[in-house]
Amino acid sequence: MGGITIKDLRINDEIRADQVRLIDENGNQVGITSLRDAQNRADDAKLDLVLMSPNAKPPVTRIMDYGKFKYDQEKKEKENKKKQKNAQLKETRFSLNIEDNDLQTKANQTIKFLNNGDKVKVSIRFRGRELGRKEPGYELMDKFKEMLGDSAAVDKKPKMEGRSLVMFLEPKGEENGK
């Protein structure tokens, strides 16, 4: 029942078929019966007749407590949403002539982002004549990467994008064999 959405299910009087394959409340397959017989069995058990697979020949119905089933499905969906990790892209920017203490502060903040499971875009802005010599920017990127230690893995190597030198980092555990 993994692919079933709750809104798609028809119950009791909404089912339009002459013959149905019936599964009882215990999960045992009863066989092919008329819709009236299946509905009578569901009524006798004081449960609902739910159309589980409308495209099957004949359609598959099941006797169950629909309210409880719906509640359990919603609970599972809520639990799955909690387990999802929404990784964000954070950015750390600095210029070429940043002081060591400021660079260490930026590195500490980047480590916090990475420990939180986020990817980080590190960019160095070049201004004016700084664009003439890009080697100090690459050296600064290497120094910054060393400051991060083992908490970061390079996702995309440093590369010029316009007036900025950009590198993408990801948490170390997320590294995919690169």
Side-chain angles (χ1 to χ4, degrees):
M1 287 190 256
I4 298 173
T5 56
I6 297 167
K7 297 170 194 112
D8 297 342
L9 298 177
R10 293 175 177 241
I11 60 169
N12 299 329
D13 298 333
E14 297 171 357
I15 301 171
R16 304 276 178 244
D18 298 328
Q19 298 281 317
V20 293
R21 183 175 303 275
L22 182 64
I23 300 173
D24 68 6
E25 59 273 15
N26 300 325
N28 301 323
Q29 199 170 117
V30 175
I32 298 172
T33 63
S34 69
L35 181 62
R36 182 177 295 135
D37 290 341
Q39 188 64 55
N40 287 340
R41 284 183 80 148
D43 291 341
D44 290 344
K46 293 188 169 90
L47 295 170
D48 299 307
L49 184 66
V50 181
L51 183 63
M52 299 305 284
S53 181
N55 298 332
K57 299 284 184 217
V60 177
T61 57
R62 183 176 186 153
I63 298 173
M64 68 168 73
D65 182 355
Y66 183 67
K68 184 175 188 284
F69 173 74
K70 190 174 173 181
Y71 173 77
D72 289 340
Q73 290 292 105
E74 288 172 355
K75 197 170 168 183
K76 281 181 190 173
E77 285 176 18
K78 204 176 205 181
E79 196 64 34
N80 288 341
K81 278 187 181 178
K82 275 186 191 176
K83 290 179 184 175
Q84 280 182 340
K85 176 66 178 137
N86 294 334
Q88 292 182 323
L89 180 66
K90 302 284 187 170
E91 184 172 10
T92 302
R93 293 172 26 177
F94 44 87
S95 63
L96 195 57
N97 51 7
I98 189 170
E99 293 295 323
D100 286 342
N101 288 337
D102 295 335
L103 191 63
Q104 186 61 50
T105 303
K106 294 277 189 181
N108 291 341
Q109 187 61 46
T110 302
I111 289 170
K112 284 182 188 173
F113 291 151
L114 292 167
N115 289 340
N116 218 13
D118 299 323
K119 291 189 175 189
V120 181
K121 175 182 177 181
V122 180
S123 60
I124 299 174
R125 293 179 307 244
F126 289 92
R127 294 190 303 258
R129 293 183 186 160
E130 292 174 351
L131 274 170
R133 291 188 58 228
K134 297 177 183 113
E135 297 82 28
Y138 285 100
E139 290 169 9
L140 187 58
M141 272 295 186
D142 290 339
K143 182 177 178 182
F144 187 72
K145 171 67 176 95
E146 287 175 23
M147 286 180 162
L148 297 176
D150 290 339
S151 60
V154 176
D155 190 25
K156 292 183 184 165
K157 295 192 182 298
K159 150 181 142 179
M160 286 300 295
E161 288 182 3
R163 294 182 151 269
S164 297
L165 180 65
V166 178
M167 172 174 64
F168 288 89
L169 302 172
E170 62 185 5
K172 192 69 164 190
E174 223 175 85
E175 191 175 9
N176 298 327
K178 292 181 183 167

